[in-house]
Structures are given as C-alpha cells and as structure tokens.
Amino acid sequence: LDIMDDGRLMVLDKAMMLHFLDLGSGDISELGLDIPLTENGYPHPHTISPDGRLLAIAEPPNIIRISTLSSGDSKEIVYYLDKNVPFISSTIKFGPDNNQLFLQIYMPSYRRTGLLVFDVEKSQLIHQFYSIYTLPEFSPDNKRVVLSPDKYVRLLSASSFNEWSSHTYYFQSKISAEESAWYSGEAYSFLVDSTR
C-alpha cells in the first residue's frame, strides 16, 4: 500500500485504474491512469512517491517508467544487473526522500531474490543487493535503513548505503544426539528517536 505524506492512500480498482483515497474524509479521486498488465493479467509492480508527485512502474525486462502526475511527463530508467541473469520484478517502493526507489526482484535460475536501488533524479541504478527478502525499513529520522538478507540483518546509512553493522540471526540447535536443525528468527524496529 502506498500512503502519501498528506494521508492519502493510492488504490487500484478492478479495472486497473489508479485512485487516491483520502483517509480523513473518505473522498476518492481518480488519477486517470491505468497500470499495464503482465501476460497473466496482473498489474506490473507500481508505486507512488510519498509526496504524491511521481508514479513509478517496473516494466519488463529492465525498464522503470517514472511519470510526474501533475504534468503527465515521463522518463525511463533502463538498467542492467551486474549478474547477467533473467529476473522478475516483484515489488517497487519509493524511499521517504522521494528520490530513492527500491525494486525487489526474483531470479528463477538462482532461486534468489535481490534488491535494486535507483536514484530517480539521476535516472540510474546505484546499488544491487542479493538474497534480500524484504523491502528496506527506515528509521524514524530516515537516516538509517535496515535490509534483511538471508543470514544476517544489515544496518546501513540511508544516504550512502554504507554498512554500519550486521547481526547474524541464524542459530543451530540440537534436537537429539543424532539430529540437529537450523532455526531463524527475525524481528526489528527502531526506537522513536532513532538512536537504537
């Protein structure tokens, strides 16, 4: 779900048309935009920026189309992975600064996921992370971001994506003298003041 800074919610109806739902008044306004569909009839991954100004659609095989809602102008970001493998775009989301754009992908041949980070203003791919299973979680002050790879949780600087720290959350447990098993557990959140 995409919720704008002003409290509106972007919704997609059965006809694949986008609308804004004002959560305060309940009013619905039509955006007059439809989302292109995949071969299976599902909408391509799409998102709206927190300021409600930009709409981004991930189109196969490697294009992000970004439209300015007020003017109707659009531009494309064409990108390539450093691993030259086929992939499927699954989820797309803007960061809180309205300029970072995150695209979750799935690579069937590797059975792995990845996270691509784009700079909207520069129209380019700036970071590629692999074995990431969730969209990033931002601290309340938007200065830190958490990524969840397959074996540890990464805490990064939201501006540079340099790693601040990482924490393993996989552990092995003995079921019996003959058997052992791997368990994983993960839960994380920031304090309201973003200090921890």
Side-chain angles (χ1 to χ4, degrees):
L1 294 174
D2 290 315
I3 300 178
M4 261 79 350
D5 293 335
D6 61 8
R8 292 178 297 163
L9 176 69
M10 184 182 73
V11 294
L12 187 67
D13 66 15
K14 290 182 180 179
M16 300 304 159
M17 296 292 292
L18 290 172
H19 304 271
F20 279 139
L21 170 63
D22 188 312
L23 296 175
S25 66
D27 294 337
I28 296 177
S29 56
E30 188 175 314
L31 276 169
L33 297 168
D34 57 349
I35 300 297
L37 304 180
T38 65
E39 295 172 357
N40 298 329
Y42 295 106
H44 286 292
H46 58 280
T47 187
I48 197 159
S49 58
D51 61 7
R53 198 175 55 86
L54 302 172
L55 173 71
I57 301 172
E59 298 181 2
N62 58 338
I63 295 173
I64 305 275
R65 185 177 311 282
I66 300 175
S67 302
T68 304
L69 296 177
S70 59
S71 65
D73 295 339
S74 67
K75 64 180 179 178
E76 290 182 354
I77 301 175
V78 179
Y79 60 94
Y80 300 93
L81 300 186
D82 56 19
K83 298 172 184 282
N84 190 20
V85 294
F87 65 90
I88 300 165
S89 300
S90 58
T91 309
I92 190 169
K93 191 82 174 167
F94 276 96
D97 67 353
N98 300 292
N99 187 50
Q100 287 176 328
L101 189 60
F102 301 91
L103 177 64
Q104 234 178 348
I105 61 170
Y106 175 66
M107 296 165 283
S109 58
Y110 286 155
R111 294 184 181 174
R112 290 176 68 193
T113 60
L115 183 71
L116 309 181
V117 186
F118 298 88
D119 184 302
V120 174
E121 189 176 300
K122 295 178 181 174
S123 297
Q124 66 184 26
L125 175 63
I126 54 175
H127 297 290
Q128 299 179 41
F129 299 97
Y130 296 99
S131 297
I132 304 289
Y133 295 97
T134 60
L135 287 170
E137 177 79 23
F138 282 84
S139 62
D141 64 2
N142 297 328
K143 292 182 180 176
R144 298 176 183 91
V145 62
V146 172
L147 297 181
S148 175
D150 57 354
K151 293 184 180 176
Y152 58 94
V153 175
R154 281 181 172 172
L155 179 62
L156 309 171
S157 162
S159 58
S160 66
F161 272 78
N162 291 329
E163 187 168 295
W164 284 15
S165 64
S166 62
H167 305 280
T168 299
Y169 64 85
Y170 270 54
F171 55 94
Q172 192 170 21
S173 175
K174 285 282 186 186
I175 296 174
S176 68
E178 296 81 29
E179 292 182 297
S180 63
W182 286 94
Y183 293 87
S184 68
E186 176 188 343
Y188 50 82
S189 182
F190 287 96
L191 294 182
V192 174
D193 64 3
S194 302
T195 57
R196 286 183 286 167

